[in-house]
Amino acid sequence: MIIKNNNTFHLMGRNVSYIMAVDECGNLLHVHYGKKLADRDYSEIRKNRSVWAAYDEDDETLEMSAQEYPSYGHLDLKAPAYSVVNGSGNSIAQLKYKGYEIRNGYAPALKGMPSLFVGDKSAVTIELTLEDKIAGIRAVLSYTVFDEYDIIARSVEIINMSDTDIEVERAYSACLDMGAGDYDLIHFSGGWAREREYFRTPVTQGTRTDISNERGGSGHVINPFIMLAARNADENEGSVYGLTLVYSGNHSSTVECDQYGSIRVMQGINPFMFGAKLKPGEGFQTPQSVLSYSDKGIGGVSRALHDVFGNNLCRSKWQHKDRPVLINNWEATYFDFTEEKLIQIAKRAKEAGIELFVLDDGWFGKRNDDFSGLGDWYENRAKLPSGISGLAKRINDIGMKFGLWIEPEMVNPDSDLYRAHPDWAISVPGRAPALSRNQLILDLSRDEVCDYIIKSICNILGSANIEYIKWDMNRPMTDMPYKGYNHKYTLGFYKIMDAITSAFPDILFEGCSGGGGRFDAGVLAYMPQIWTSDNSDAAARLKIQYSTSMGYPVSSISAHVTAVPNHQNGRVTSLKTRAETAYMGAFGYELDITQMSDADFETVKAQVARYKELRTLMRAGDFYRLQSPYETNYCGWETVSKDKSEAFVFSCRILSVANSRDRRVMLKGLDASASYIDTACGRIYGGDELMYIGLEPEYAREDFSSFSVLLKKL
Ligand code: DGJ
């Protein structure tokens, strides 16, 4: 619901209020974001003024005011939400309120970029127009309230109202002036094979923290999701704010704490190397930033994000369907396979109950290692005598679905495509572009390049019964030819994704980028699941999956059981722990199943059957993190069905400790007055008992020992 009360705009979710007001000088000020308040006129805002700050002839200063979309250089000198070089060559600006429009049942579709849609939920949008007449700039701030989840999605369009060209140098999608308070910043940083590690640091006066990425995609290094948590907030209690950018290019989230301890948080496209020139009348659209507030701690924010991303982001038919258990040949064979070897793997996998066979890298062009072939999207008949369509048929005849790996945004210098179109790779004049994994990136800002990709990939997808695609992207972006290039590339990526996913709506698409290097809500708008990390060691995955779940739904987390010693870090963990860890997500295997012992094979069979029993619950339930691997010697989580009739609980003790007692696992989200049965041993517990006394897990006397239980309500 959105209420206008005099000069107050009040956005209400079920439990939250977001309040703005226009002051007597026409500034759009921020009043409150947090726990729900009553409908009142909040526009009487106490003015703070210091003779040491800048003020104008009306005695107006903004340095100490909370603002919705702050300008720079006139009445406020803090980092602004936007910066535009106007026709006079300066960037001084001051936006004033002009008007508003409220639209019920509406969420804006952003031109060329993914965003949340209304679907069958209730949503209402307010568009507030601000204008700077002197600079000739208009900003339309859009806020969509999804009241059921207490989610507010924000974006901005900046329009050139002058009669000269202007240049947008920065345009954040959202700004939150939170006032003074004791908050911690939570962000997710890492690298290849250790994506999205959790970091929590106090926000202190006088600091400006830049959680930004300029490596091309959203990246392994910094994820476009942050949280601000009240100092006393934890997983279950306390005020926490989440901001997630629905964007896959260079991004920035900043947290500034000024001399008064007031905190300004912003999120949007990274201003570094950004620029958009606007002719008179033209506009620049920012991506969407999704805001979530909960007084139920980090877990409250996560569950709201899981629900809104699960229901209102991805239009794939697979979003609400159970995902097939897959086997992928990458770690089984790497590039070294024959058609017959693949068939052997598929046959054995079928016996274990696995449903989808995925052929990874190496099936096209002259691709026998990572030095050649990218761009040549035709099958390698030397390796696959039956071709892709013949292989797909053979896999289907075994009784499995067939899936394929592609990396359409890339080209190897050693490829027919590059020899024919060397100018299609991103480069700057006079400089050979830098290589990474021996490959270059195609210039997706050019229509003919996008058209080639769409056509060549559609050709393959139409040529065989392909029911799953793993869309990879294996390098950072260098040699960007001009300011604003990365955004144009990102729009090209979305154009291609849109064309291909719309042309093949039945295919299940999985995102990938050297593991989880492009795990963001922009990708999730097209592909309901993403390969979370190339590191599938169970102990490493505890941390990776635990922290990834803070911002993204469990259904989007692709998780595989791989061989030991693990190919990335050499660790040995039990087959039990590897599978139980991977149950949290879209589950599969990535090992040579033909080489397994009979005993291990029987275990795999049982694991596949177990996952089939769990997968609807894991995909559609409410997720609770119970024990943090970042803070304890355990990692635990639980999924509870929305109707609380069943729950799956997982816990892993990371290192074995002699002569010690293990922590109980305190469950969450159950019906306290109901009884639940442990489906394995038949023991009956009260819901209150499970939540307030907890479960006493039995771990094996070894490192990385896991335990799981499926509980059903009686
Ligand atoms: C990187 C991916 O993360 C891997 O799973 C695999 O598909 C390779 N690329 C193939 O080159």
Side-chain angles (χ1 to χ4, degrees):
M1 188 176 8
I2 298 180
I3 300 168
K4 180 171 189 297
N5 185 335
N6 195 15
N7 282 335
T8 298
F9 297 99
H10 191 155
L11 285 51
M12 284 183 182
R14 280 198 188 153
N15 308 293
V16 300
S17 284
Y18 189 110
I19 304 174
M20 308 167 248
V22 181
D23 73 4
E24 69 268 26
C25 297
N27 300 300
L28 182 65
L29 301 184
H30 180 76
V31 179
H32 169 77
Y33 180 31
K35 261 188 127 118
K36 194 162 182 172
L37 302 181
D39 166 31
R40 287 188 200 96
D41 178 358
Y42 291 95
S43 56
E44 248 332 85
I45 299 163
R46 188 163 65 90
K47 282 236 173 93
N48 296 302
R49 183 180 177 294
S50 156
V51 71
W52 302 104
Y55 46 89
D56 66 6
E57 63 276 14
D58 298 322
D59 213 17
E60 177 77 5
T61 177
L62 288 169
E63 186 96 7
M64 280 163 280
S65 303
Q67 301 166 68
E68 276 305 311
Y69 205 62
S71 311
Y72 172 78
H74 186 48
L75 298 179
D76 186 2
L77 293 170
K78 289 197 283 190
Y82 71 101
S83 172
V84 175
V85 185
N86 58 39
S88 312
N90 66 73
S91 314
I92 307 305
Q94 192 56 62
L95 290 167
K96 299 279 179 181
Y97 171 76
K98 197 163 181 302
Y100 78 101
E101 190 181 357
I102 295 175
R103 302 169 76 175
N104 282 305
Y106 170 80
L110 307 187
K111 198 166 173 281
M113 277 176 288
S115 57
L116 299 180
F117 55 81
V118 180
D120 58 0
K121 303 293 171 187
S122 79
V124 52
T125 296
I126 183 166
E127 285 171 349
L128 289 149
T129 302
L130 312 180
E131 210 166 277
D132 179 336
K133 290 220 164 65
I134 298 165
I137 300 160
R138 178 178 288 175
V140 181
L141 315 187
S142 165
Y143 302 71
T144 304
V145 185
F146 290 85
D147 49 334
E148 178 179 331
Y149 323 114
D150 293 329
I151 289 281
I152 296 171
R154 290 184 59 174
S155 62
V156 178
E157 187 181 16
I158 293 183
I159 303 162
N160 181 1
M161 304 300 290
S162 75
D163 50 14
T164 53
D165 292 0
I166 63 172
E167 182 166 12
V168 181
E169 289 185 317
R170 69 153 79 189
Y172 279 93
S173 304
C175 172
L176 257 187
D177 270 355
M178 301 179 50
D182 292 325
Y183 285 94
D184 291 341
L185 167 66
I186 295 172
H187 76 281
F188 303 89
S189 166
W192 174 80
R194 49 182 182 81
E195 291 87 341
R196 290 171 296 288
E197 289 172 50
Y198 165 91
F199 291 89
R200 180 169 178 160
T201 41
V203 177
T204 50
Q205 184 185 312
T207 58
R208 188 181 297 165
T209 311
D210 214 349
I211 306 294
S212 301
N213 176 51
E214 43 271 320
R215 299 173 67 85
S218 50
H220 289 92
V221 178
I222 290 279
N223 195 263
F225 168 56
I226 61 163
M227 285 185 274
L228 267 291
R231 185 87 15 98
N232 60 357
D234 59 19
E235 181 60 35
N236 304 303
E237 297 294 336
S239 283
V240 179
Y241 299 83
L243 290 92
T244 313
L245 198 64
V246 185
Y247 192 62
S248 313
N250 286 341
H251 55 88
S252 163
S253 303
T254 63
V255 181
E256 178 179 8
C257 185
D258 70 11
Q259 54 191 320
Y260 309 106
S262 298
I263 296 173
R264 173 172 290 174
V265 185
M266 299 194 290
Q267 184 170 69
I269 293 178
N270 189 342
F272 178 70
M273 282 286 284
F274 173 73
K277 294 200 170 79
L278 300 182
K279 295 198 182 323
E282 284 183 349
F284 176 77
Q285 175 65 59
T286 73
Q288 195 170 55
S289 172
V290 175
L291 275 55
S292 165
Y293 166 80
S294 175
D295 64 352
K296 298 278 174 291
I298 297 169
V301 165
S302 299
R303 283 184 290 281
L305 291 173
H306 292 182
D307 285 346
V308 76
F309 290 157
N311 294 320
N312 300 80
L313 180 61
C314 181
R315 289 189 163 84
S316 166
K317 285 185 182 170
W318 282 95
Q319 183 62 39
H320 298 287
K321 274 168 62 173
D322 288 338
R323 316 292 161 73
V325 181
L326 68 76
I327 189 154
N328 176 307
N329 74 308
W330 179 242
E331 289 205 4
T333 66
Y334 294 102
F335 294 103
D336 186 16
F337 58 83
T338 61
E339 186 172 316
E340 289 322 308
K341 176 70 189 172
L342 302 178
I343 293 293
Q344 279 168 21
I345 293 175
K347 280 189 173 148
R348 193 69 171 140
K350 168 70 186 166
E351 286 171 41
I354 296 175
E355 299 155 307
L356 162 68
F357 173 84
V358 178
L359 173 54
D360 210 281
D361 196 352
W363 59 267
F364 51 89
K366 293 192 191 70
R367 182 91 170 156
N368 296 316
D369 49 36
D370 57 21
F371 284 88
S372 61
L374 287 172
D376 298 342
W377 298 112
Y378 42 83
E379 59 227 356
N380 181 329
R381 286 271 173 181
K383 278 176 163 174
L384 302 175
S386 314
I388 287 295
S389 72
L391 176 64
K393 184 164 180 324
R394 291 184 72 185
I395 299 288
N396 291 162
D397 289 345
I398 293 168
M400 298 178 85
K401 294 177 190 297
F402 176 72
L404 198 60
W405 176 98
I406 52 176
E407 194 179 359
E409 298 157 73
M410 298 292 152
V411 65
N412 284 118
D414 184 2
S415 68
D416 293 344
L417 180 67
Y418 187 77
R419 282 182 281 274
H421 299 284
D423 60 312
W424 280 12
I426 299 174
S427 66
V428 293
R431 195 184 290 278
L435 288 163
S436 179
R437 209 194 183 204
N438 314 304
Q439 61 199 53
L440 301 172
I441 309 185
L442 290 169
D443 183 354
L444 269 51
S445 72
R446 288 169 65 174
D447 285 342
E448 69 269 40
V449 178
C450 293
D451 291 346
Y452 165 81
I453 293 175
I454 294 168
K455 200 165 152 235
S456 54
I457 299 302
C458 284
N459 276 346
I460 304 159
L461 301 188
S463 72
N465 188 23
I466 297 166
E467 297 183 74
Y468 159 104
I469 280 290
K470 177 176 173 189
W471 185 298
D472 210 343
M473 193 284 201
N474 277 306
R475 61 158 288 177
M477 185 180 292
T478 59
D479 303 285
M480 296 177 228
Y482 50 84
K483 269 164 58 183
Y485 176 81
N486 181 255
H487 180 60
K488 292 214 165 125
Y489 177 94
T490 307
L491 295 182
F493 169 60
Y494 291 142
K495 183 167 91 171
I496 293 170
M497 283 312 308
D498 195 40
I500 296 178
T501 54
S502 313
F504 294 91
D506 295 326
I507 293 181
L508 168 59
F509 285 85
E510 173 164 324
C512 177
S513 178
R518 197 163 58 179
F519 205 117
D520 62 65
V523 168
L524 284 179
Y526 301 97
M527 316 200 231
Q529 59 191 56
I530 301 176
W531 181 226
T532 314
S533 175
D534 275 347
N535 191 344
S536 48
D537 161 52
R541 277 294 185 121
L542 295 176
K543 280 189 168 174
I544 295 171
Q545 293 175 195
Y546 184 92
S547 40
T548 300
S549 78
M550 289 187 179
Y552 302 97
V554 169
S555 62
S556 68
I557 293 175
S558 175
H560 297 172
V561 174
T562 54
V564 289
N566 178 267
H567 292 197
Q568 279 67 42
N569 64 12
R571 186 175 285 131
V572 175
T573 54
S574 71
L575 191 50
K576 177 176 187 294
T577 299
R578 276 175 278 155
E580 288 186 339
T581 306
Y583 287 159
M584 174 197 157
F587 179 76
Y589 290 82
E590 191 167 326
L591 40 69
D592 190 347
I593 197 167
T594 65
Q595 300 298 310
M596 282 189 131
S597 68
D598 289 348
D600 279 355
F601 181 76
E602 288 308 314
T603 305
V604 167
K605 238 179 172 171
Q607 290 173 346
V608 172
R610 173 77 154 165
Y611 180 71
K612 288 179 182 169
E613 195 186 357
L614 295 175
R615 64 181 158 189
T616 309
L617 170 64
M618 296 310 290
R619 176 179 56 75
D622 282 331
F623 188 73
Y624 295 86
R625 286 174 295 271
L626 306 177
Q627 299 163 309
S628 168
Y630 290 94
E631 286 153 10
T632 70
N633 188 31
Y634 302 86
C635 177
W637 50 65
E638 174 197 13
T639 303
V640 184
S641 61
K642 294 269 179 201
D643 65 1
K644 300 182 188 294
S645 66
E646 50 178 356
F648 180 69
V649 185
F650 162 85
S651 168
C652 180
R653 186 184 59 202
I654 297 167
L655 293 180
S656 176
V657 182
N659 188 28
S660 68
R661 288 207 60 188
D662 287 309
R663 296 281 169 85
R664 287 170 181 278
V665 185
M666 312 296 285
L667 306 203
K668 300 270 173 214
L670 301 176
D671 179 348
S673 58
S675 296
Y676 290 84
I677 183 165
D678 176 336
T679 53
C681 68
R683 180 164 170 193
I684 293 170
Y685 300 88
D688 51 357
E689 192 185 347
L690 290 164
M691 291 193 287
Y692 314 136
I693 298 181
L695 275 176
E696 210 161 352
E698 276 178 41
Y699 304 105
R701 195 154 55 87
E702 62 189 29
D703 291 341
F704 321 113
S705 169
S706 73
F707 145 93
S708 72
V709 53
L710 176 62
L711 297 158
K712 294 211 175 179
K713 193 170 170 175
L714 289 172

